[in-house]
Amino acid sequence: MKPSRLNTNAPDATCPLHAPKDHPKVPREKIGVLLANLGTPDATDYWSMRRYLGEFLSDKRVIDYPWWKWQPILQGIVLTFRPSKSGAAYKSIWNTEADESPLMTITKEQVSAIKIALEAEYGDRVMVDFCMRYGNPSTKSKVEELVAEGCSKILFFPLYPQYAGATTATANDQFFRALMEENWQPASRTVPPYFDDPAYIDALAQSVERAYAAAKRKPDILICSYHGLPERYLKEGGDPYHCQCQKTTRLLKERLGWNETRIMTTFQSKFGPEEWLQPYTVEEVARQAGKGNKSIAVCAPAFSADCIETLEEINEEIRESFEHAGGEEFLYIPCLNADPLHISALVGQVRKNLAGWV
């Protein structure tokens, strides 16, 4: 059994009521809110990228091929060549001033804003922090820190509006693994998908309205590009992701007051040889250009923060596909990031899921 990691030197540490005089001090009881996103490499060099990709692509929730079949391919081929290519892509969007990926920068901004909002409401009773499923800061390290600071309850919040086994579930898995390491486990809750939350849809709609109002040329169609999944995850495993993505687009359309010809759902980031959810964004933007829609907008409702899949894949690769097919105006609408309406929606989710605890 591991010794207690409670921070007995915390400023608010006291001896428990009715405890003997020689009882060690313990931090005042608190509630932790732990936000989680996908992850980021520590740097863009080959070995940093290899470590990050190795962890990510070894996750059975992400790639569910048998271990004996996939690991030789991953270790022998994929992790030999892909780190350099991915490193170059990350380098093109890297926040050189902070020496970190945009996802890390934006997540810190989100957490800071959420912390301020919750502190105004709950004081210092609620601690807010973040972790990454892959890379640093790890889920395990952050759970340990929250427990050490006296969090007897933790609300775990995967920052994915739509549920998928490869995103929400694997983040929860890692959280539960971290809890398995604790001798004195905190009570825990996980925040469910929030794709149909009116506050989230409104924040999404207002971001579209602002982008359209500022555009020199009004887009002919809005492409809602979601991260893809293998098609069989839906057909064989019953993953609700595809349905939740379609509903997100429908709710956005209704909130904007548009008809179906002005908006559509597509999927990006295909990996490997099998069929993924379709239509593929990179092909659909070219098709739209070919049918006469020379001005398009693309948003990414499955991402709570801009990252490699939006800043590099959408704004570079997918843009290039559209322009090569004859497209003229390509408008990328940034993720909600630390937009005040987005922060308000996320705080609303935290507040709702803390009910009964505070």
Side-chain angles (χ1 to χ4, degrees):
M1 180 176 287
K2 296 183 299 184
S4 171
R5 289 192 295 265
L6 288 176
N7 182 9
T8 57
N9 295 317
D12 60 358
T14 59
C15 188
L17 190 65
H18 305 306
K21 292 181 180 180
D22 60 350
H23 192 289
K25 291 182 177 181
V26 296
R28 184 164 58 87
E29 189 174 325
K30 305 179 193 71
I31 295 168
V33 175
L34 186 57
L35 305 158
N37 214 319
L38 182 76
T40 170
D42 295 322
T44 61
D45 63 278
Y46 177 86
W47 289 107
S48 295
M49 290 304 311
R50 185 181 174 107
R51 283 193 300 273
Y52 173 72
L53 291 172
E55 183 181 8
F56 175 45
L57 297 176
S58 292
D59 186 349
K60 293 283 284 183
R61 290 275 196 182
V62 175
I63 297 178
D64 65 351
Y65 299 150
W67 194 260
W68 62 266
K69 182 179 182 180
W70 171 237
Q71 280 300 312
I73 297 172
L74 176 63
Q75 301 297 333
I77 301 174
V78 177
L79 293 182
T80 298
F81 299 102
R82 195 173 179 89
S84 296
K85 182 180 178 182
S86 295
Y90 267 98
K91 193 172 293 185
S92 72
I93 64 165
W94 202 251
N95 181 348
T96 54
E97 185 177 339
D99 193 23
E100 62 190 18
S101 74
L103 176 65
M104 180 67 77
T105 302
I106 294 166
T107 301
K108 289 177 179 177
E109 292 171 352
Q110 291 172 327
V111 171
S112 177
I114 291 171
K115 189 179 294 186
I116 290 170
L118 293 179
E119 188 173 288
E121 193 162 346
Y122 302 120
D124 61 357
R125 297 171 60 198
V126 175
M127 291 186 64
V128 182
D129 211 335
F130 76 97
C131 63
M132 298 294 182
R133 170 61 182 88
Y134 315 104
N136 297 304
S138 70
T139 305
K140 182 176 184 292
S141 69
K142 288 301 178 178
V143 168
E144 288 177 353
E145 287 181 22
L146 290 175
V147 170
E149 292 302 318
C151 291
S152 60
K153 301 179 179 72
I154 297 177
L155 176 66
F156 186 69
F157 191 171
L159 291 173
Y160 306 109
Q162 302 81 17
Y163 174 96
T167 54
T168 308
T170 190
N172 287 339
D173 289 346
Q174 200 72 347
F175 174 57
F176 298 142
R177 289 189 193 103
L179 292 178
M180 289 172 65
E181 299 291 321
E182 296 301 321
N183 288 333
W184 189 355
Q185 285 185 334
S188 62
R189 293 176 179 172
T190 60
V191 176
Y194 55 95
F195 67 95
D196 55 356
D197 176 13
Y200 161 71
I201 294 296
D202 188 57
L204 200 58
Q206 289 201 41
S207 73
V208 172
E209 291 169 339
R210 288 195 302 269
Y212 271 51
K216 294 179 181 178
R217 178 176 173 183
K218 189 176 180 181
D220 299 313
I221 190 168
L222 172 64
I223 307 290
C224 295
S225 181
Y226 299 83
H227 197 290
L229 286 176
E231 210 170 58
R232 63 184 170 81
Y233 286 19
L234 166 67
K235 293 180 177 179
E236 298 175 9
D239 195 300
Y241 179 70
H242 180 263
C243 294
Q244 293 183 2
C245 291
Q246 295 287 358
K247 187 173 181 181
T248 303
T249 301
R250 176 175 64 80
L251 292 172
L252 176 60
K253 172 181 69 74
E254 292 171 356
R255 163 59 181 79
L256 291 168
W258 291 359
N259 61 43
E260 293 182 356
T261 64
R262 297 184 60 188
I263 189 170
M264 72 175 300
T265 297
T266 63
F267 298 90
Q268 64 182 85
S269 309
K270 182 181 184 297
F271 178 82
E274 63 182 307
E275 291 297 316
W276 279 39
L277 297 176
Q278 296 185 44
Y280 300 134
T281 306
V282 69
E283 295 176 0
E284 185 59 33
V285 296
R287 193 180 76 83
Q288 290 295 327
K291 64 183 285 190
N293 288 329
K294 302 296 185 181
S295 176
I296 68 169
V298 179
C299 67
F303 299 91
S304 62
D306 275 306
C307 54
I308 191 73
E309 286 86 356
T310 64
L311 298 175
E312 196 276 334
E313 186 179 358
I314 291 179
N315 211 23
E316 294 183 23
E317 294 177 27
I318 291 170
R319 174 193 291 270
E320 188 176 303
S321 173
F322 175 68
E323 292 174 346
H324 279 183
E328 297 169 359
E329 295 288 337
F330 184 96
L331 173 64
Y332 170 60
I333 301 174
C335 293
L336 294 177
N337 297 326
D339 179 273
L341 287 176
H342 187 214
I343 298 301
S344 179
L346 296 178
V347 169
Q349 287 295 314
V350 171
R351 186 186 299 115
K352 180 170 71 173
N353 285 278
L354 284 179
W357 277 3
V358 290

